[in-house]
Amino acid sequence: MTLFIREAQASDLPAIIGLHAADRTGGHGDHWSEVTRPAYEAAFARIAASPDCTLFVAMERETVLGSFQLTLIPTITGRGGLRAKVESVQVAEATRGQGIGAAMMAHAERVAREAGAPFIELTSNKARTDAHRFYARLGYGQSHLGFKKRL
């Protein structure tokens, strides 16, 4: 497999949303249609306009096999340190276990390091035990307890 990772383009949106739609654990209700398209295009435009957010795709030839978002967050702690956060990590179910997720995370770490972030973080749904083992194998440790509130 010849995998390459690049910044996502608007034309990648149907494939990216397709990855999320296939995610039975995430529960976000994502799906691509003419009705939902404007919302995803607006979200992509906001991400693309931000100097601190990047949406990436992992590709083999012209096929999107994975996607993730990297956000750089300036903080007051750590003497004004920069925090890197990985979100929305998805790999096509049929291609899991082939190193795509590891390549995406290595890419995220490289970009974060080059930006000057001293560490990188992510959250993962409590039900994703396979993902937790995957992140642990990559050297990620559980350091915090996360909370969410629907607004």
Side-chain angles (χ1 to χ4, degrees):
M1 175 183 302
T2 305
L3 187 73
F4 65 99
I5 299 170
R6 63 164 171 78
E7 287 189 31
Q9 302 168 358
S11 60
D12 298 320
L13 282 173
I16 294 168
I17 300 309
L19 292 171
H20 289 277
D23 178 7
R24 291 179 291 280
T25 305
H28 295 286
D30 289 300
H31 69 282
W32 184 263
S33 72
E34 288 308 309
V35 173
T36 61
R37 179 182 185 153
Y40 292 119
E41 289 174 339
F44 179 81
R46 284 192 305 274
I47 292 166
S50 171
D52 296 321
C53 296
T54 308
L55 185 63
F56 291 94
V57 289
M59 308 279 300
E60 182 185 30
R61 295 187 188 99
E62 298 300 316
T63 304
V64 173
L65 299 179
S67 181
F68 68 94
Q69 181 173 329
L70 180 67
T71 303
L72 300 171
I73 307 165
T75 67
I76 199 68
T77 59
R79 290 183 233 139
L82 188 64
R83 177 177 302 169
K85 184 169 185 178
V86 179
E87 299 181 279
S88 303
V89 178
Q90 291 288 338
V91 174
E93 189 171 0
T95 60
R96 290 183 187 151
Q98 298 180 27
I100 296 165
M104 292 190 325
M105 294 305 295
H107 188 84
E109 291 171 13
R110 188 168 37 259
V111 171
R113 197 176 297 109
E114 289 170 0
F119 65 91
I120 191 166
E121 64 183 26
L122 59 90
T123 58
S124 180
N125 186 307
K126 289 191 302 186
R128 295 185 188 279
T129 55
D130 290 342
H132 303 164
R133 286 190 296 276
F134 165 74
Y135 293 125
R137 277 195 313 272
L138 296 180
Y140 289 78
Q142 293 180 337
S143 63
H144 290 72
L145 180 62
F147 296 88
K148 285 186 180 181
K149 180 179 180 180
R150 185 167 297 280
L151 301 177

